[in-house]
Amino acid sequence: DTAVSQTPKYLVTQMGNDKSIKCEQNLGHDTMYWYKQDSKKFLKIMFSYNNKELIINETVPNRFSPKSPDKAHLNLHINSLELGDSAVYFCASSIQRYYGYTFGSGTRLTVV
Amino acid sequence: AQSVTQLDSQVPVFEEAPVELRCNYSSSVSVYLFWYVQYPNQGLQLLLKYLSGSTLVKGINGFEAEFNKSQTSFHLRKPSVHISDTAEYFCAVRAGFQKLVFGTGTRLLVSP
């Protein structure tokens, strides 16, 4: 019944590794987002996809690559992980012409 | 581009006291305003939103907010808080179909 689900919930990995975070929504929304929340709780958008098309691509290192196989899924792949990538990553979805976002419960990434 | 300022990083309050969390925004176009709550180690939950119409908006858990266009504010209020209201509260603004931009958050600390 979870509306926006992310896996894994926790991810601990070493520097230099490559990892992926998956997100799925069952709300029928057409737009999905990735947000990063840093240690000071600041939330910043990273990417947005509308019907599998990239529509927002903020200033993010190109080690981060989103992929949307269909409008219900948006995955985030991170190459060559760095200590500074440690954060909580939130997936969200919305109907583009409706103004509220529904957020997942987050993935806490710790790079050691 | 739109921006949001949450003036208080932390607001301590005693249980059953009233509380106001302040939010000011900046935008050159009409905006839609939101308040989200984040309980410890959880995702973001929508408390309330202003899209149009009545400037006083009621949300979940007894919270309400008032949109003041002349003062570009959207302050969140609750007449009597509970221990369980302890959480991080985020104000967010969206200009049309643009991305949702968050403030830096206000930590509400309710003590007995």
Side-chain angles (χ1 to χ4, degrees), chain B residues 49-71:
Chain B
K49 60 182 181 286
Y50 172 79
L51 304 180
S52 65
S54 173
T55 56
L56 183 62
V57 179
K58 293 191 183 298
I60 61 171
N61 301 341
F63 284 93
E64 65 180 31
E66 184 153 22
F67 170 59
N68 187 320
K69 189 174 181 180
S70 62
Q71 297 187 5

Side-chain angles (χ1 to χ4, degrees), chain A residues 9 33 35 37 40-43 45 56 58 90 94-101 103-105 108, chain B residues 32 34 36 38 41-44 46 49 51 88 90 94 96-104 107:
Chain A
K9 190 170 176 63
Y33 313 83
Y35 275 79
Q37 185 175 47
K40 295 184 178 178
K41 301 284 189 181
F42 183 62
L43 282 151
I45 192 166
I56 294 175
E58 295 291 296
F90 285 101
S94 72
I95 294 176
Q96 193 177 28
R97 291 180 178 272
Y98 180 72
Y99 310 100
Y101 291 17
F103 282 83
S105 57
R108 183 175 295 275
Chain B
Y32 309 102
F34 307 82
Y36 283 84
Q38 185 178 26
N41 297 314
Q42 293 190 26
L44 288 98
L46 182 65
K49 60 182 181 286
L51 304 180
E88 194 86 23
F90 293 93
R94 187 176 186 186
F97 303 139
Q98 298 299 315
K99 62 191 177 189
L100 191 64
V101 174
F102 285 88
T104 49
R107 182 160 182 77

